[in-house]
Amino acid sequence: MMTSESFVSSYREQGFVIARSVFSSTEIADMRAAADELEARARDFKDDTFEGVTFYALHRPANPFARDITSVPPVKGMLRRVTYAYAVSKTFNRYRTHAGLLAHVAAIIGPNAKQIVNQVNFNPPRSAGGWGWHQDYRFRKAGIVDLKADFVQTLTALDLCSAATGGLRVVPQSVQLGALKLDQDNENAEKYFDAATAVTPEMQPGDVIFFNSHLIHGSTANSSPNKRRVYINGYVRSTSLIGMPVLRDGQPIPTANGTMEYEGDLELLPKA
């Protein structure tokens, strides 16, 4: 177990830090069932679909950042991600303001915060593709004073995350390389950094990784017969001009009031 000081110092030095067992087995079971419900809702979808502000992106057997990704047909009913899942799922809405999760967020960005990212990512069993190397700063909307200091992304493991299941790969200390546009030249992304330094931390269900907006990360295909799902939530200091309030003086705000980042934007949200 890390102390609060070692947790934050590790985050600052490496660009990421992992907190173990933030969510209980019961809470993870709730979210797994909610993820199953999302998959059931999308079972008959033949293409990417909006349901109100919620966006269902179907799986394509390719790197989402590949230049020809739009020419790769989606797999009917197979999800890659659901953005703003909280709007259709009471379960995911409840856990985005989980006290234990937000306590770690507060340690990094302070006791007053807003939320701008909310999505569930799927890496289907024995599926091709994965997520190419990228930095999240590339997808953030204007209005955040200092992305490196004011924004933190969180990824909760709902299933085992490992090299075999296509778990998250990160490049330690890559925040020091600055702003790279890896998503625009993904086929040649590794010429901008040393990919040999990348690690795939093994995360058990309930573990959460917290990472910086400039950390280089991605994932490989899921070669296992098991599901690999994660719940992603991103938070900013309350000084941000965008976002939905989630923390006030260290206390969670459970009621969804306002918008996050790209809600209602039918053109930009699918690309973000």
Side-chain angles (χ1 to χ4, degrees):
M1 298 295 291
M2 288 184 171
T3 65
S4 179
E5 287 185 1
S6 63
F7 175 83
V8 175
S9 63
S10 181
Y11 175 83
R12 302 287 184 219
E13 292 168 8
Q14 300 297 320
F16 73 96
V17 65
I18 296 173
R20 304 294 182 182
S21 302
V22 174
F23 292 89
S24 70
S25 59
T26 299
E27 292 167 335
I28 288 299
D30 284 346
M31 285 189 276
R32 281 176 169 171
D36 290 340
E37 290 172 3
L38 292 177
E39 291 184 279
R41 294 171 86 107
R43 186 173 294 123
D44 295 326
F45 292 170
K46 297 179 181 178
D47 206 344
D48 299 343
T49 302
F50 274 97
E51 183 181 3
V53 300
T54 304
F55 177 64
Y56 298 81
L58 294 187
H59 178 80
R60 289 171 167 79
N63 171 9
F65 302 121
R67 293 184 187 277
D68 62 347
I69 186 62
T70 56
S71 67
V72 180
V75 179
K76 178 185 174 183
M78 183 179 287
L79 289 172
R80 179 177 285 275
R81 66 181 168 101
V82 177
T83 304
Y84 304 132
Y86 85 94
V88 296
S89 170
K90 290 181 180 179
T91 299
F92 284 122
N93 184 43
R94 180 167 67 253
Y95 289 121
R96 70 183 180 83
T97 59
H98 183 270
L101 176 67
L102 291 182
H104 289 83
V105 169
I108 294 171
I109 62 172
N112 297 290
K114 296 178 180 178
Q115 183 170 6
I116 61 173
V117 179
N118 175 261
Q119 67 187 53
V120 182
N121 279 14
F122 300 77
N123 200 342
R126 302 199 188 286
S127 59
W131 291 85
W133 296 114
H134 61 284
Q135 295 168 297
D136 283 349
Y137 89 92
R138 291 282 294 149
F139 311 107
R140 302 284 65 88
K141 207 170 188 178
I144 304 171
V145 178
D146 181 353
L147 263 174
K148 283 186 179 180
D150 297 346
F151 170 76
V152 59
Q153 190 84 300
T154 77
L155 183 151
T156 300
L158 303 186
D159 305 296
L160 173 66
C161 290
S162 67
T165 64
L168 186 73
R169 294 190 296 173
V170 298
V171 181
Q173 301 183 353
S174 55
V175 295
Q176 299 173 11
L177 299 177
L180 307 173
K181 297 180 180 180
L182 302 178
D183 53 295
Q184 288 189 344
D185 187 21
N186 222 238
E187 288 78 2
N188 300 300
E190 294 185 1
K191 72 180 183 181
Y192 298 100
F193 65 96
D194 184 3
T197 63
V199 296
T200 304
E202 184 165 301
M203 295 172 59
Q204 296 294 327
D207 293 347
V208 182
I209 185 169
F210 300 77
F211 56 98
N212 185 282
S213 63
H214 286 62
L215 181 76
I216 296 174
H217 62 286
S219 66
T220 58
N222 181 358
S223 61
S224 81
N226 304 310
K227 293 182 178 182
R228 197 280 283 163
R229 299 162 295 182
V230 295
Y231 187 33
I232 300 174
N233 292 282
Y235 305 93
V236 293
R237 294 185 199 272
S238 59
T239 50
S240 168
L241 299 178
I242 59 174
M244 179 185 292
V246 290
L247 264 178
R248 184 178 297 116
D249 296 328
Q251 298 301 309
I253 303 172
T255 303
N257 185 15
T259 59
M260 293 194 187
E261 188 174 27
Y262 292 102
E263 288 182 81
D265 193 327
L266 304 188
E267 182 178 350
L268 291 182
L269 175 55
K271 303 174 185 177

